[in-house]
Amino acid sequence: MIVAIAILAAVAVTTLLTFSRFAKSTAWRATVTPLASIIGSGFLICGPLLAREFGSAAILAMAALLAIAYAVGAVIRFNIIHVENIAPKLSLNDPMAWAMRAAQVMLAIAYAVSVAYYLKLLAEFTMKPLGVTPHWHGLTANILVTVIILVLTALTFSGDIRKIEHAAHASVSVKLGIIAGLLAGLALWWSTRTGAPLDLPPTRLSWGGIPMLLGLLITVQGFETSRYMGDSYDQATRVKTMRYAQWLSSAIYLAFLALLTPFLSRAQHAEGVAGILDIMKLVAPALGIFVLIGAVSSQLSAAIADSIGSGGLMVEVSRRKLGVRGAFITASALSIAVVWLTDPFSVIALSSRAFAMFYAMQAVLALWVSIRTGKGSAIARAGFVIVGLVCLVAALAGAPAEG
């Protein structure tokens, strides 16, 4: 029964998000890219990590992390309007223009690493059932990742990002369908055990848990891709749909963690996606397949979304001297270099800290523009300072939990 309900939920949601009139709307298309980037493998690994560090207070820690991410999103939304409006008026040597370019370089590094990282994980999951020998494992993974990046780049040869957005749309539809199936299966399991005592781990709250919580910021990162989709969507659309993406992803994270409550004692000893795989098999063995499909689709959609963000970023960094095609070729070359020259598992700490530092720099820009133009209230400026300090702490002291 659990498996049947999970399959029905997955098929229904995937169909709705693929073929309905809503799925073809501009609002949903603009929501897909940030949503795809936010929901990578984070929704699978956050439960075990937070259960291990915070015990039964894991869902409160998750809520705090999502609140931080939403506050950072508010800074980015302010900048979509006010920084974008002032940027064309700045001279090349204006200090604010230099600050903007520094932030963009930081994000370019983070995107190159994250695209390689997401696709490297996808290759690992894909090769699990293939039995590739350890001797050829690394080379096979690098070739597979390179092919995927080249295919994504080829999709942009139409001159815009619509084709690559279609790829993101398809992978997100599958991913959200799989998530719906997992949530439905967990909810049904829960409903059949009403009144049964819960074996919860003790609540653990300490200052020592803060670095790990801040390190998890990368698992809910991705909303900033809306900032670099200006060639396809106007400011109002990007601001609105970034909110939608953060609301929907927050609901998914909190629902998934809440439904994992009966398994928190086991979850605190789990290791990443493999740990969640073991937990879902306790609910129903066939749900393990959902986890594997969800993991692969999550990595693909997150990589596509960050590729879109990276391409848009390259256009802006080049002061529009690069077109969409040239921008994607440049960003793809950088990601391929990361794939072959580094091990993304060892450099994910760099990506985590680069994203946190980028957010801190965005908070500085928001404060700077607010003071310079008179836009924003005193409360908003105080918020920019707080967000900037939190992100700076995350960059300097956050433990790279996803690594």
Side-chain angles (χ1 to χ4, degrees):
M1 177 64 75
I2 289 177
V3 174
I5 294 297
I7 291 174
L8 285 174
V11 171
V13 171
T14 301
T15 302
L16 174 67
L17 296 180
T18 303
F19 301 108
S20 68
R21 181 180 299 177
F22 163 76
K24 295 176 175 59
S25 67
T26 299
W28 177 244
R29 289 201 309 269
T31 302
V32 161
T33 298
L35 181 62
S37 189
I38 294 170
I39 306 178
S41 61
F43 80 99
L44 292 173
I45 70 170
C46 278
L49 287 169
L50 293 175
R52 185 183 309 160
E53 192 67 35
F54 298 98
S56 57
I59 193 168
L60 298 179
M62 186 76 249
L65 179 64
L66 291 168
I68 293 172
Y70 195 77
V72 176
V75 172
I76 303 295
R77 288 189 286 275
F78 179 89
N79 288 350
I80 282 176
I81 297 174
H82 300 292
V83 170
E84 285 185 10
N85 288 346
I86 196 175
K89 304 172 186 176
L90 300 176
S91 68
L92 192 61
N93 294 319
D94 190 295
M96 184 176 288
W98 278 103
M100 290 178 186
R101 288 195 289 274
Q104 291 165 338
V105 169
M106 186 68 65
L107 186 59
I109 294 170
Y111 272 144
V113 176
S114 66
V115 169
Y117 170 66
Y118 286 136
L119 292 178
K120 195 87 169 195
L121 280 183
L122 183 151
E124 295 292 331
F125 290 129
T126 303
M127 290 190 299
K128 275 183 184 294
L130 300 180
V132 178
T133 60
H135 179 72
W136 294 102
H137 199 274
L139 178 62
T140 304
N142 286 351
I143 292 173
L144 179 58
V145 171
T146 302
V147 170
I148 294 173
I149 293 174
L150 292 176
V151 169
L152 294 179
T153 305
L155 290 175
T156 67
F157 270 57
S158 62
D160 60 26
I161 67 171
R162 294 297 182 184
K163 288 187 178 180
I164 199 169
E165 280 184 340
H166 290 327
H169 195 156
S171 59
V172 169
S173 298
V174 172
K175 175 169 65 177
L176 292 181
I178 292 296
I179 291 172
L182 288 172
L183 294 178
L186 283 168
L188 184 59
W189 184 94
W190 184 292
S191 67
T192 61
R193 286 158 177 79
T194 304
L198 297 179
D199 179 23
L200 296 178
T203 298
R204 288 188 294 275
L205 296 173
S206 68
W207 292 107
I210 293 179
M212 192 279 285
L213 185 66
L214 293 177
L216 278 173
L217 184 62
I218 194 171
T219 65
V220 292
Q221 158 275 328
F223 42 85
E224 77 288 335
T225 53
S226 295
R227 168 76 174 79
Y228 299 102
M229 294 167 62
D231 281 349
S232 299
Y233 305 102
D234 60 36
Q235 291 175 339
T237 297
R238 286 181 287 140
V239 167
K240 178 177 63 177
T241 54
M242 189 205 289
R243 285 199 189 96
Y244 293 163
Q246 288 198 283
W247 290 344
L248 182 54
S249 60
S250 296
I252 288 170
Y253 274 85
L254 291 175
F256 192 65
L257 197 53
L259 291 171
L260 278 179
T261 297
F263 305 99
L264 283 183
S265 291
R266 296 183 181 94
Q268 63 180 332
H269 303 297
E271 295 288 341
V273 174
I276 285 293
L277 183 61
D278 293 338
I279 290 170
M280 295 309 297
K281 285 180 178 178
L282 293 174
V283 178
L287 288 185
I289 298 173
F290 276 63
V291 174
L292 289 176
I293 297 174
V296 170
S297 60
S298 293
Q299 302 312 323
L300 179 60
S301 61
I304 293 173
D306 279 6
S307 294
I308 292 172
S310 183
L313 174 64
M314 291 294 180
V315 171
E316 190 167 312
V317 167
S318 68
R319 300 177 73 87
R320 303 195 174 275
K321 292 177 182 177
L322 279 177
V324 171
R325 185 183 304 175
F328 269 87
I329 291 173
T330 303
S332 297
L334 190 55
S335 292
I336 290 173
V338 172
V339 169
W340 286 94
L341 299 177
T342 67
D343 175 7
F345 291 98
S346 66
V347 298
I348 191 61
L350 170 65
S351 181
S352 301
R353 289 183 167 86
F355 275 115
M357 186 60 72
F358 168 75
Y359 292 147
M361 295 172 80
Q362 287 295 305
V364 170
L365 282 174
L367 179 63
W368 196 345
V369 169
S370 178
I371 294 172
R372 185 162 169 169
T373 64
K375 304 293 184 180
S377 64
I379 294 176
R381 292 172 189 173
F384 298 152
V385 172
I386 293 171
V387 168
L389 290 174
V390 169
C391 292
L392 186 60
V393 171
L396 298 176
E402 198 173 2

